[in-house]
Amino acid sequence: MNDKFKNTDEIFLCAICNVESGTCNEDCKFCTQSVRYKADIQRYKLKEIEQIVKEATIARENGAVGFCLVTAGLGLTDKKTKFIAEAAKAVKAANLGLRLIACNGTASVEQLKELKAAGVDNYNHNLETSKEFYPTICTTHDWEERYQTCLNVKEAGLQLVCGGIFGMGETQEDRISMIKSIASLDPMNVPLNFFHPNEALPLVENTITREEAFDLVELSREMIPNAHKIMVAGGRELMFGDEQYEIFNRGANAFVIGDYLTTAGKTPKDDVEALEKLGFKIAKHVVKMADEK
C-alpha cells in the first residue's frame, strides 16, 4: 500500500443501474447514448421498478455499497423525477444497506429535494471536462448548466458526486482546470472516467497513455483531498488493463463493479477475488458523512 495515500485502506464498490438507455437527444461526442450517432447499443425507456430492485439486490450480494440509478437525456423532467423517486423508495424499502445515488442530468433544487425525500442519498452530475474545452465536445447545452446543477445538489441537501472524463483530446491544462472546478464544489465522491472509443462516435481514440491516466488519478486525489472517494469508473479495464488495481496505490479508493452504461465490465466476482488476493480490504457498509443527520 502506498503510504502517500491514506484513504486507500478500504475499497468501496459501486454498481450502476442503467434505468433508461440510448434515448438522449444531446450531441455529446463522447457518448453512445446519443441518438445522433446510432451506436449499436441497447435502447429502451424506463425499466420496471421490480427489475431495478432485483439489480440492486444482486449488486449488494456482489459487494457493492453504492447503487446508482442512471437515465439518459439532458436532465430531469417531472415524469422522470416521479419515476426515480418511486424507484428510490422501492430500493430503500428492500433494506439492502445500499447508499443510493441518482444520476439523471440537469436538475432543479425542487426536483432534487423530491429525490432526497424519496431516499436518494447522493446525486451524481459530472462536469465532464474543463469549461474551456466543453464547447468542443458538446454544443446542445453548456458547461455552466452542469456546474449550476452541482450547486443545486448541495442546496437541496444531497451529497454531491462529481467527476469527469479524460482522453477526449483535451490538454493537460484542461484536465487541471476541470479538477480545480470539481474541487471548488467540494464533492463527496469524484468518479474518474477514461474515454472508451466507439466507431459510431465523432471521437475516435483515447488520447492519453496509461501512465498519464495513473498520474491523473494521483493528481485528482492531491487536488481534491477532502473527497471521501476518488472512484475509477468507465474505461477502467480498457485504460489500465492488467495494471488496473494499481489505481488503489495511486489515490483511488473506489470503483464500479459489473457492467457500465453501454459497455461491459469484468464480473464482480473476478474483481472481488483479485482485490482480496492483493490484500485490499473491501468496505462492507456505507459511510455516513459528518453533515448528514
Side-chain angles (χ1 to χ4, degrees), residues 19-213:
V19 174
E20 180 183 35
S21 179
T23 61
C24 186
N25 291 309
E26 302 301 292
D27 72 351
C28 304
K29 293 179 181 178
F30 57 85
C31 188
T32 54
Q33 300 243 51
S34 173
V35 298
R36 296 168 185 249
Y37 306 127
K38 299 178 173 59
D40 184 16
I41 63 168
Q42 278 192 305
R43 300 180 189 274
Y44 50 83
K45 293 291 188 178
L46 299 170
K47 276 182 181 174
E48 295 291 333
I49 288 180
E50 182 180 346
Q51 176 62 26
I52 294 171
V53 175
K54 180 180 178 181
E55 290 183 29
T57 303
I58 293 171
R60 188 67 175 121
E61 290 171 350
N62 286 332
V65 293
F67 187 68
C68 188
L69 304 173
V70 187
T71 52
L74 174 61
L76 284 170
T77 60
D78 290 344
K79 178 183 177 181
K80 196 174 289 187
T81 302
K82 181 179 178 182
F83 181 86
I84 295 298
E86 290 175 358
K89 289 176 183 176
V91 172
K92 286 291 186 176
N95 293 315
L96 299 170
L98 287 165
R99 191 169 186 92
L100 195 57
I101 308 113
C103 181
N104 314 119
T106 54
S108 68
V109 174
E110 292 72 23
Q111 290 168 329
L112 292 162
K113 284 182 175 179
E114 187 173 338
L115 296 189
K116 185 175 188 294
V120 171
D121 301 295
N122 304 358
Y123 195 82
N124 181 189
H125 195 59
N126 294 336
L127 296 183
E128 307 301 19
T129 190
S130 70
K131 179 179 179 180
E132 298 78 15
F133 188 70
Y134 196 80
T136 306
I137 61 165
C138 180
T139 65
T140 48
H141 62 273
D142 57 37
W143 185 93
E144 288 81 2
E145 203 172 340
R146 305 192 74 85
Y147 195 89
Q148 183 59 53
T149 290
C150 294
L151 296 176
N152 293 347
V153 171
K154 299 177 79 72
E155 185 176 340
L158 287 161
Q159 292 290 345
L160 176 64
V161 178
C162 182
I165 307 174
F166 297 118
M168 300 185 291
E170 75 283 351
T171 65
Q172 182 68 2
E173 289 72 24
D174 286 315
R175 296 163 194 157
I176 292 171
S177 174
M178 179 187 75
I179 296 170
K180 284 181 177 178
S181 294
I182 293 169
S184 74
L185 291 163
D186 193 26
M188 174 185 180
N189 301 336
V190 180
L192 305 179
N193 300 280
F194 297 89
F195 178 58
H196 192 298
N198 181 292
E199 61 183 7
L201 296 174
L203 299 181
V204 296
E205 64 177 343
N206 185 315
T207 57
I208 59 174
T209 66
R210 183 175 294 181
E211 192 51 45
E212 286 174 327

